[in-house]
Amino acid sequence: MSVGAALEQLLRLIHSRAMKLAALPEDERDLHYDLIRRSCCEAAEHIGQDPDKAAITANDMVEFVRALVGIIEASRESDQDPSADQPPPARHFGSRENDMTRG
């Protein structure tokens, strides 16, 4: 398997896991993040990283997954609120409308 194909497969796996985590209530996610941390740490050590660097790699991976879950949640929220993508109506300074709203 080429490096590019392996990376693509890894990113699909991470995205899939993040989608599943985003569907869970927040209080149920920590166990899954711990599992990701442990498996990533073991994999990093397996390929030759020293334990300290493997722990850093694993923590970085968990933070990446957490950020991806946050992006997924924000995307879902904006999909549910169509006005979230639209800027507020423009105000025309100096127009009569603004003079009337000032009182």
Side-chain angles (χ1 to χ4, degrees):
M1 178 181 292
S2 72
V3 172
L7 180 58
E8 189 175 323
Q9 186 176 8
L10 178 63
L11 290 173
R12 276 197 305 267
L13 175 70
I14 292 168
H15 180 261
S16 173
R17 178 67 63 95
M19 292 292 287
K20 290 176 184 175
L21 285 169
L24 294 175
E26 277 190 55
D27 60 341
E28 293 180 21
R29 296 177 187 169
D30 285 339
L31 172 66
H32 296 274
Y33 289 129
D34 289 340
L35 291 171
I36 293 169
R37 182 177 289 107
R38 273 189 266 141
S39 64
C40 185
C41 191
E42 288 173 8
E45 286 181 20
H46 182 74
I47 62 168
Q49 281 190 356
D50 67 80
D52 290 338
K53 184 160 172 110
I56 292 168
T57 299
N59 285 332
D60 288 348
M61 180 61 73
V62 169
E63 290 308 309
F64 178 76
V65 174
R66 283 183 190 272
L68 190 52
V69 168
I71 291 168
I72 292 165
E73 288 179 321
S75 174
R76 287 180 181 166
E77 288 171 7
S78 69
D79 287 347
Q80 291 174 358
D81 182 12
S83 66
D85 289 336
Q86 299 174 359
R91 294 183 57 192
H92 301 284
F93 294 101
S95 71
R96 219 166 163 242
E97 176 184 317
N98 287 335
D99 290 338
M100 296 188 74
T101 58
R102 286 188 204 148

